[in-house]
Amino acid sequence: LDAAGSACARRALAEEFRGHVWEAAQCPHANYALQKAIMVLPQEDLLFIVDELPPQRATQAASQKCGCRVVQRLLERCPPGMMRLAIDGILADFASVARSPYGNYVAQHLTEYAPEEQRRRAMRAICADMKGLATDPFGSAVILGALTRGPAAEQELLAQALVREPGLIAFMATARHGSGCARRCLQLLRGQDLACARQQLRSELACLQASRFGRFVAQAL
């Protein structure tokens, strides 16, 4: 695909995946070639790849070591609407995907690359499961991704939902991804919500200062 001299040559090579997309998405070697095809093909030529990853398979692939990469590339490259059914399938199992060592990357991609309405649905799913995701090492990475790359209008709402869970922001502040969430909340929040966040964090200042990740939050207060 890199050496192909023309768009026709790249298209002909990519056609070799037709009928084998699911197998390639799970293969530790072929998935790289499939990702490359997704990156170099014109958007309209990606439809056969999407068609071979219907909602159930797309959801399975989202939580697989190799498959998650393919789903991420499709989210980045497909035009609005082409991935709608696949995204609906992933959103229906969002809680599980977001807690997966590999699926959490797909969940973060949904908040950034999905069509606007589905991006908002992903943000709402995070809000609805805030406490559960915040206490999960992979779920907290999803929250951080949403706070930094989700729809701008939804980021503050997500930060408000986090700070309104008593003690949650202080709990998260000493963890790897949670520290980033706490600092991002301090940037996003205003007025009473910001004051509440600072109060909760200052009440645990000694713990923050004793923590490798908490120190960064303490410095931001």
Side-chain angles (χ1 to χ4, degrees), residues 33-193:
L34 181 57
Q35 288 182 72
K36 187 65 177 182
I38 293 167
M39 289 188 285
V40 301
L41 286 175
Q43 288 182 318
E44 60 271 17
D45 290 340
L46 297 175
L47 184 58
F48 83 90
I49 298 175
V50 175
D51 284 345
E52 292 188 35
L53 291 174
Q56 185 176 2
R57 282 190 168 177
T59 303
Q60 286 180 261
S63 293
Q64 294 173 345
K65 182 178 182 179
C66 299
C68 75
R69 301 166 185 161
V70 173
V71 176
Q72 288 175 77
R73 299 295 84 76
L74 287 170
L75 287 169
E76 292 165 3
R77 291 279 289 118
C78 286
M82 187 179 284
M83 284 280 287
R84 182 178 60 83
L85 293 178
I87 293 171
D88 280 344
I90 297 169
L91 285 171
D93 196 28
F94 189 85
S96 175
V97 172
R99 288 170 169 79
S100 162
Y102 306 112
N104 79 89
Y105 297 108
V106 173
Q108 293 178 60
H109 258 53
L110 289 184
T111 68
E112 183 174 7
Y113 293 105
E116 196 64 24
E117 185 272 334
Q118 289 176 314
R119 291 177 76 196
R120 291 196 296 269
R121 283 172 58 194
M123 297 293 277
R124 290 197 296 270
I126 295 169
C127 279
D129 192 20
M130 178 62 73
K131 192 169 183 179
L133 291 174
T135 54
D136 182 89
F138 303 114
S140 59
V142 173
I143 296 174
L144 179 57
L147 285 169
T148 53
R149 298 188 296 277
E154 307 282 330
Q155 289 181 18
E156 185 177 356
L157 294 176
L158 192 61
Q160 289 170 348
L162 196 160
V163 80
R164 289 171 186 176
E165 287 281 352
L168 190 57
I169 191 171
F171 171 83
M172 294 184 73
T174 58
R176 178 186 173 189
H177 298 300
S179 171
C181 290
R183 283 177 285 154
R184 182 60 176 157
C185 284
L186 292 174
Q187 294 172 348
L188 290 168
L189 293 172
R190 296 171 289 178
Q192 187 174 352
D193 288 315

